[in-house]
Amino acid sequence: MTKPESAGDDYDVVISGAGLAGSAAAVLLARRGVRVALLERRSDPEAYKVLCTHSLQACAYPVLEELGLIPALEEAGAVRNVSRWYTRWGWIEPKAASAGPELPYGYNIRRSTLDPLIRSHAAKTPGVDLLLGHHVTGLVREAGRTVGVRASTPEGEREIRARLVVGADGKDSAVAKFAGVPARLYENGRFGYLAHFRNLPLPGGISHTWFLEPDMAYAFVNDDGVTVVAVLPDKKRLSAFREDLEGSFLAFVRALPEAPPIDSAERITKTIGTVNYPLHSRKPTAPGVALIGDAALTGDPLWGVGCGWALQSAQWLAEEAGSAATGRGDLDRALVAYARTHRRRLHGHQYLAADFAKSRPFNPGERLMFSAAARDESVARHLHLFGSRLIGPRRFLSPVALAKAAAVNIKHRGAAGAADPMESIT
């Protein structure tokens, strides 16, 4: 519900940012009896994030299910995000993997559809007050602890107190800044541009990703017949690329193996992007403060993990701190548990992503796994599970998995009669 202004109200939790992470956290906390003020700096309830991969990885499916959003996503035209990946060894076809039950899936859906949908869901949840046009300008602190926020509103400045303040306000989080939580930055050696096309046929009707070492590209099939096409070249190409942005973008896409036929599709947006998008991570808690989504950790856009991790971190916070936020537990201890879960679930993924963001070719371990995945359906399935963030780095690179990949490549080398023992993985 949208609540009328009344500056004297207190809440259990104040959330800054009514995007994916903030709206999901509001719903999940309110269902646990938490009184939530959900603040959104923009006044338009239909506002959405523009620069995004528009992908919800399979790791987020349990959160979507708990939120009760699966039927609404299906009705809105969300596309199950099965994908094939191009490598120098050929195409990796996770969809074709037959070893085991049906592969888990997530959804591709444009943020112009998704953001208003989940925000409206939060606004209709009992216990959530959606406060549009509220921009956090500072934190209220007592005895070294955050106990609320100060916000600029259409009616003027307002102070809102709460046991817990949640920063769901993106990678440049004002809540993190005001709480004095520094960010650790990881340089991204690639830049990125994307555009939307309608009626762009792709083989199999599924999404595509190109690993060109070190350049990257993808075409993600979305709702309403729209496909998001993105290119992520090495920054060494930036100067030449910017001399003719439109021409460079189109030429890059046309040169892709099995290139999407963009010239026969309907172009519905201009080319947008960023030349500098570092990865960063923050400690996700401070006294009286929790950070979720990009405010806590911003991954490399090329992996399409941001939306899924936003929803997952919202769920972890609700699970660990929901009771304590109402005064029925130790909030500090709950925040420690949330921080521990956040680190355990995402630190390894971020470590590998930050290393790959150096814009380097595949390392020996990656060559082993990706080459085997192009040759064997069970390894392709294993790689799909990791790419969807359904398994972590330790399981992905376990001795059993590496041994399986090595066996596949040895068999391939024998069948091909290769003279060079490294030929199959280089």
Side-chain angles (χ1 to χ4, degrees):
M1 67 188 70
T2 301
K3 184 180 178 65
E5 310 302 329
S6 54
D9 282 353
D10 289 341
Y11 292 85
D12 297 317
V13 174
V14 173
I15 300 174
S16 175
L20 300 187
S23 294
V27 172
L28 298 174
L29 287 167
R31 288 181 182 174
R32 289 166 169 82
V34 179
R35 293 188 64 242
V36 180
L38 178 59
L39 278 56
E40 171 55 46
R41 62 179 177 82
R42 296 167 294 188
S43 298
D44 181 5
E46 300 295 310
Y48 60 92
K49 184 176 181 179
V50 175
L51 191 59
C52 181
T53 59
H54 307 277
S55 181
L56 293 163
Q57 293 281 20
C59 62
Y61 188 95
V63 192
L64 296 171
E65 193 170 41
E66 183 179 351
L67 289 167
L69 287 175
I70 299 297
L73 289 173
E74 298 272 3
E75 185 178 348
V79 179
R80 296 184 181 185
N81 59 6
V82 179
S83 180
R84 62 197 297 250
W85 301 342
Y86 174 82
T87 72
R88 56 174 136 143
W89 303 278
W91 288 94
I92 298 172
E93 305 278 5
K95 188 176 182 181
S98 58
E102 180 184 3
L103 290 167
Y105 58 86
Y107 291 98
N108 292 341
I109 181 168
R110 289 173 297 166
R111 296 292 294 270
S112 57
T113 303
L114 178 60
D115 287 16
L117 188 155
I118 194 170
R119 187 177 299 121
S120 173
H121 187 56
K124 295 174 183 176
T125 300
V128 176
D129 291 340
L130 174 61
L131 305 176
L132 299 173
H134 279 55
H135 176 66
V136 172
T137 58
L139 301 180
V140 181
R141 299 176 62 82
E142 292 179 358
R145 183 181 190 85
T146 297
V147 295
V149 302
R150 290 188 296 276
S152 173
T153 81
E155 283 70 37
E157 290 294 318
R158 178 180 179 187
E159 183 176 292
I160 307 174
R161 289 179 168 254
R163 292 187 180 89
L164 176 64
V165 172
V166 177
D169 47 351
K171 64 184 181 65
D172 299 317
S173 171
V175 169
K177 176 183 176 182
F178 293 134
V181 182
R184 180 177 181 181
L185 299 180
Y186 306 87
E187 180 62 27
N188 195 331
R190 300 180 182 88
F191 62 97
Y193 285 95
L194 60 83
H196 294 66
F197 297 82
R198 181 172 278 113
N199 300 323
L200 179 66
L202 293 171
I206 63 174
S207 298
H208 286 52
T209 300
W210 288 265
F211 290 86
L212 304 174
E213 299 185 70
D215 298 338
M216 296 285 302
Y218 61 74
F220 285 175
V221 181
N222 270 253
D223 57 296
D224 195 28
V226 173
T227 297
V228 179
V229 178
V231 303
L232 300 107
D234 188 305
K235 276 187 177 177
K236 293 177 182 177
R237 302 181 58 173
L238 179 58
S239 179
F241 206 93
R242 296 176 80 174
E243 289 180 4
D244 177 12
L245 174 59
E246 186 71 11
S248 297
F249 175 84
L250 296 174
F252 191 106
V253 176
R254 292 176 184 134
L256 294 171
E258 295 188 23
I262 54 175
D263 294 309
S264 61
E266 178 188 358
R267 173 79 168 271
I268 61 173
T269 69
K270 62 180 182 180
T271 300
I272 61 172
T274 178
V275 299
N276 188 33
Y277 199 96
L279 292 71
H280 77 235
S281 58
R282 295 184 176 97
K283 182 181 177 182
T285 61
V289 172
L291 305 175
I292 58 177
D294 281 353
L297 185 150
T298 302
D300 192 335
L302 74 84
W303 298 110
V305 294
C307 295
W309 287 353
L311 295 176
Q312 285 187 292
S313 58
Q315 184 185 53
W316 300 332
L317 179 64
E319 290 173 344
E320 300 291 358
S323 179
T326 64
R328 301 193 305 269
D330 187 326
L331 183 56
D332 289 335
R333 181 174 296 179
L335 292 180
V336 168
Y338 164 65
R340 185 184 302 119
T341 299
H342 192 280
R343 178 178 177 83
R344 176 174 57 84
R345 296 290 298 271
L346 299 184
H347 176 75
H349 289 290
Q350 182 76 332
Y351 176 84
L352 293 182
D355 185 60
F356 194 69
K358 295 174 183 176
S359 190
R360 56 164 177 75
F362 285 142
N363 62 32
E366 291 162 347
R367 291 201 301 270
L368 176 67
M369 297 302 296
F370 276 76
S371 59
R375 297 160 179 161
D376 181 87
E377 290 184 348
S378 65
V379 181
R381 180 184 184 85
H382 186 71
L383 184 60
H384 170 83
L385 293 174
F386 176 69
S388 300
R389 310 301 155 172
L390 290 162
I391 61 174
R394 288 187 179 182
R395 183 174 168 188
F396 173 57
L397 298 173
S398 71
V400 172
L402 292 172
K404 169 67 176 178
V408 167
N409 284 325
I410 290 171
K411 182 179 179 180
H412 173 83
R413 184 175 70 238
D420 183 351
M422 291 298 289
E423 184 179 8
S424 65
I425 62 171
T426 59

